[in-house]
Amino acid sequence: MSAPEKIPSTTWHEKEPISRELRLLREELWGPIPPRERIQWSNALLDNPPTELSIMGKLQNTQLLHRDGIVMNRQWVAVARYWDDLGITAYEWLLQKGTLASNTPENTTPEEDPWGDCTEEERRAWTAATLRFPPMFLGATVMGLHDKHAKQTGITNSKGWIDLALEFRDAGFTPEEFIELNTQVRKFRKRGQRNTMITTTWGNLNKEYVRLKAQQWTNWLERYRAGDEPLALTEELLSPHWISQ
């Protein structure tokens, strides 16, 4: 028996050429926006869809998305073109959508500062802690832009992240204790099992993230500071709260 004929396959690094018609259409739609910024805008628009699309519309919109990461819906691209013409970047557009909270000195008064009375040192320490254990999933673009901004500036500007930090700070936790608690809790979380102490949030694309409630863990904090071994302590406190499924 002869060997089966090998059928050429196209992988991510062997992409089929884009047709001339599609290239021209893409240039017409996106105009002066550079290729890198087209991808940023495409992801921002996917995270915050300007319009609902039919099944056919979704197919047409993503004909280049899975190849080059660029959407092709005229209405969606028009949104990007409109804000780009005003000098607004995809990241700044996401800020305006309310996903992120601008906390730059020129845009925020002391009364409006989402960090309240936290010192700069505390803000940086809590930012590093919440980057390790984010409270929710906001979509790939928002998460990427947020993390890049937080790492560059040292201070997060996401309201959800700030709220998480302040909640645990107000309950008496330090950033290091927040990290220790979250590290231990995740050792016991398993797929298909539920525990009322391991609270979660549901973000974009139905992604579930562990998002603990600080007040439920103040006893853990007291005993941890008293010298209890953290792994055994966490297991003991979780034990009565498992839900049979």
Side-chain angles (χ1 to χ4, degrees):
M1 181 181 294
S2 60
E5 180 182 356
K6 291 186 178 180
I7 301 175
S9 62
T10 300
T11 63
W12 65 270
H13 60 280
E14 296 176 339
K15 298 171 181 174
E16 294 180 358
I18 298 175
S19 68
R20 181 174 181 273
E21 292 75 13
L22 198 53
R23 287 201 307 273
L24 291 175
L25 176 59
R26 179 170 63 181
E27 294 307 311
E28 176 192 343
L29 286 175
W30 284 94
I33 299 180
R36 182 178 180 82
E37 293 180 25
R38 294 176 188 180
I39 295 173
Q40 293 175 350
W41 271 110
S42 293
N43 283 295
L45 292 164
L46 285 165
D47 287 334
N48 294 270
T51 63
E52 292 290 334
L53 297 178
S54 64
I55 294 177
M56 182 58 69
K58 289 178 181 178
L59 290 173
Q60 293 172 344
N61 197 26
T62 58
Q63 58 184 314
L64 281 179
L65 176 66
H66 297 301
R67 185 191 189 282
D68 289 346
I70 298 173
V71 299
M72 294 289 287
N73 180 276
R74 287 185 178 274
Q75 289 177 292
W76 287 30
V77 177
V79 171
R81 291 283 298 271
Y82 173 80
W83 290 106
D84 183 74
D85 287 345
L86 295 177
I88 303 296
T89 66
Y91 181 72
E92 292 167 333
W93 181 71
L94 289 170
L95 283 174
Q96 292 186 11
K97 297 291 289 182
T99 304
L100 305 177
S102 176
N103 62 344
T104 53
E106 63 271 21
N107 293 330
T108 308
T109 66
E111 294 77 16
E112 298 171 336
D113 188 346
W115 280 101
D117 63 351
C118 283
T119 65
E120 181 173 342
E121 182 180 359
E122 285 182 300
R123 298 178 190 212
R124 291 181 180 278
W126 277 110
T127 293
T130 54
L131 280 175
R132 289 184 60 176
F133 299 103
M136 66 191 75
F137 181 74
L138 299 174
T141 301
V142 182
M143 296 292 279
L145 291 172
H146 164 261
D147 287 2
K148 179 180 178 181
H149 172 87
K151 288 173 182 176
Q152 286 179 341
T153 65
I155 300 176
T156 178
N157 66 343
S158 170
K159 187 176 184 302
W161 276 244
I162 296 170
D163 288 347
L164 175 64
L166 295 182
E167 179 184 327
F168 275 84
R169 177 178 180 262
D170 291 345
F173 284 79
T174 65
E176 294 75 19
E177 290 164 338
F178 168 86
I179 291 172
E180 182 66 36
L181 170 63
N182 278 274
T183 298
Q184 298 303 331
V185 166
R186 282 161 173 77
K187 293 178 181 179
F188 296 96
R189 184 167 184 253
K190 296 180 175 63
R191 186 185 300 274
Q193 296 184 5
R194 294 289 174 183
N195 189 296
T196 56
M197 293 282 285
I198 307 179
T199 47
T200 60
T201 57
W202 290 90
N204 287 14
L205 304 177
N206 285 328
K207 288 196 175 182
E208 187 179 20
Y209 270 34
V210 172
R211 202 292 193 189
L212 302 180
K213 295 178 181 178
Q215 288 301 324
Q216 288 186 313
W217 293 94
T218 53
N219 185 33
W220 182 96
L221 180 61
E222 292 175 6
R223 292 180 56 180
Y224 173 68
R225 288 181 176 177
D228 282 19
E229 196 279 321
L231 183 64
L233 171 60
T234 306
E235 183 176 21
E236 177 189 336
L237 295 181
L238 287 174
S239 180
H241 300 281
W242 290 106
I243 301 172
S244 300
Q245 291 187 335

